[in-house]
Amino acid sequence: MTSRPHESLDPDARPQRRTFTAEFKARILDEYESAPDAAARGAILRRERLYGSHLLDWRKARDAGAAAGLTDRRQSAAR
């Protein structure tokens, strides 16, 4: 009998995708935009384990539709 490598892995050990609330996104955007320099902005990204692309997407969504743009469509009531 041969054992397959994926059979021995615990399915609960798979990493979960992080989700962010609209309040968190708005708070981070405000903090990031009020940071005095690039070093402070980089420190915010590292502290929260975020990428600059997160903020670009969040800012674009915020500017397009205010707070409604910051909600996660994958977690909406419609789904």
Side-chain angles (χ1 to χ4, degrees):
M1 177 180 262
T2 60
S3 174
R4 294 185 183 147
H6 68 277
E7 290 178 349
S8 64
L9 297 177
D10 181 16
D12 293 332
R14 293 183 63 187
Q16 295 293 319
R17 182 180 296 262
R18 293 192 303 167
T19 57
F20 305 102
T21 63
E23 293 81 20
F24 175 81
K25 293 175 183 180
R27 181 177 58 83
I28 294 299
L29 280 172
D30 290 341
E31 184 179 354
Y32 185 84
E33 291 170 349
S34 66
D37 58 3
R41 290 188 295 270
I44 294 167
L45 294 176
R46 286 188 300 277
R47 181 190 73 216
E48 300 295 338
R49 295 180 15 231
L50 297 171
Y51 293 102
S53 60
H54 285 119
L55 297 179
L56 291 174
D57 292 342
W58 296 350
R59 187 179 299 126
K60 193 182 306 181
R62 180 195 61 193
D63 294 345
L70 293 176
T71 59
D72 189 358
R73 286 175 275 136
R74 294 173 297 170
Q75 302 296 324
S76 68
R79 290 192 75 160

